[in-house]
């Protein structure tokens, strides 16, 4: 009866795939995180190939505001992930679990990791364009160390830091609690460079009346040793002194009219002002 049956056709495949279990190495490294930003999670795979990852957090982290991440495509052979931190997550040490999956849905075991969220950058408050203050209204902090552009500032260990060139750069502060524990704030960026200007008061002034010339926005190094000259409206020099600080008192007998003043700093730059003398 063999003639009643069709033999199966030969079949050969070239796109089959053999896969093994996925196994994560137990060590997962994380960077410090800030609310409203990301922290970095680095891992390595001991066996298998992964195409997706998921992250789950413990109850403490979830209560603080962290969000679980459902399975997400793993880009190429990436072993570094950026994990978002929602705005408002408070400072603390939290835990989570990383789990991988391949294209067939085979999962690795979940591996626990620890991560730290820094103090909020909202604790850093700017004043006057050249001072940053650490908000210690909670009365928790006993010591301070200020940082600028990720580098500690020598001697900047008060609750405030004065930057004579204006607040330009990235600032952070490490605080110490009463129990000796040190915490770092998230960085805060400012671009509040000082506007350099020279003015005189009173303006106008009266003949034979002393007046004060004020140079604002300059560092001590720029002003100390600079030259201040007074000129008439025709550019003739009437008076000259060497500047030692931000204010200089000029006490000379001037006639009624319009006058010019000019400060030449130690680096050769000129800053002019105009004033009047009236009866």
């Amino acid at each position: 009866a063999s003639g009643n049956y069709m033999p199966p056709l030969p079949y050969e495949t070239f796109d089959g795939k053999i896969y093994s279990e996925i196994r994560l190495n137990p060590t997962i490294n994380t960077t410090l995180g800030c609310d409203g930003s990301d922290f970095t999670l680095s891992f390595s795979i001991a066996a298998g190939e992964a195409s997706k990852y998921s992250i789950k957090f413990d109850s403490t982290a979830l209560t603080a505001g962290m969000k679980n991440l459902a399975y997400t495509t793993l880009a190429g052979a990436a072993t570094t992930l950026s994990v978002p931190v929602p705005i408002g997550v408070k400072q603390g040490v939290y835990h989570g679990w990383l789990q991988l999956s391949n294209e067939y849905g085979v999962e690795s075991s979940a591996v626990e990791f620890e991560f730290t969220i820094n103090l909020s950058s909202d604790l850093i408050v700017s004043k006057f364009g050249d001072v940053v203050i650490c908000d210690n209204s909670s009365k928790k902090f006993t010591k301070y160390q200020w940082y600028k552009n990720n580098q500690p500032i020598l001697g900047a260990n008060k609750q405030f830091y004065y930057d004579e060139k204006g607040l330009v750069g990235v600032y952070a502060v490490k605080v110490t609690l009463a129990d000796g524990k040190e915490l770092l704030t998230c960085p805060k960026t400012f671009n509040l460079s000082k506007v350099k200007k020279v003015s005189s008061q009173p303006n106008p002034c009266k003949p034979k009346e002393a007046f004060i010339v004020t140079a604002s926005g300059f560092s001590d190094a720029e002003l100390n040793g600079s030259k201040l000259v007074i000129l008439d409206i025709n550019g003739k020099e009437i008076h000259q002194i060497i500047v030692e600080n931000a204010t200089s008192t000029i006490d000379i007998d001037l006639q009624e009219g319009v006058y010019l003043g000019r400060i030449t700093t130690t680096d050769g730059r000129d800053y002019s002002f105009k004033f009047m003398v009236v009866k």
Side-chain angles (χ1 to χ4, degrees), residues 104-119:
Y104 302 107
V106 177
E107 296 179 316
S108 70
S109 297
V111 174
E112 185 176 4
F113 61 89
E114 182 178 276
F115 64 102
T116 300
I117 303 299
N118 283 343
L119 291 169

Side-chain angles (χ1 to χ4, degrees), residues 54-107:
S54 71
I55 296 176
K56 294 181 180 180
F57 298 102
D58 65 6
S59 59
T60 303
L62 292 173
T63 301
M66 295 299 297
K67 305 294 184 184
N68 290 331
L69 300 178
Y71 270 117
T72 304
T73 299
L74 188 63
T79 56
T80 299
L81 304 173
S82 291
V83 182
V85 181
I87 294 176
V89 175
K90 297 184 179 298
Q91 185 277 332
V93 178
Y94 302 101
H95 293 85
W97 290 266
L98 172 66
Q99 191 167 26
L100 303 180
S101 171
N102 66 15
E103 58 187 300
Y104 302 107
V106 177
E107 296 179 316

Side-chain angles (χ1 to χ4, degrees), residues 19 133 159 174-175 181 238 257:
Y19 62 85
I133 301 172
Q159 188 179 352
K174 181 186 289 184
V175 296
K181 183 179 180 180
I238 299 172

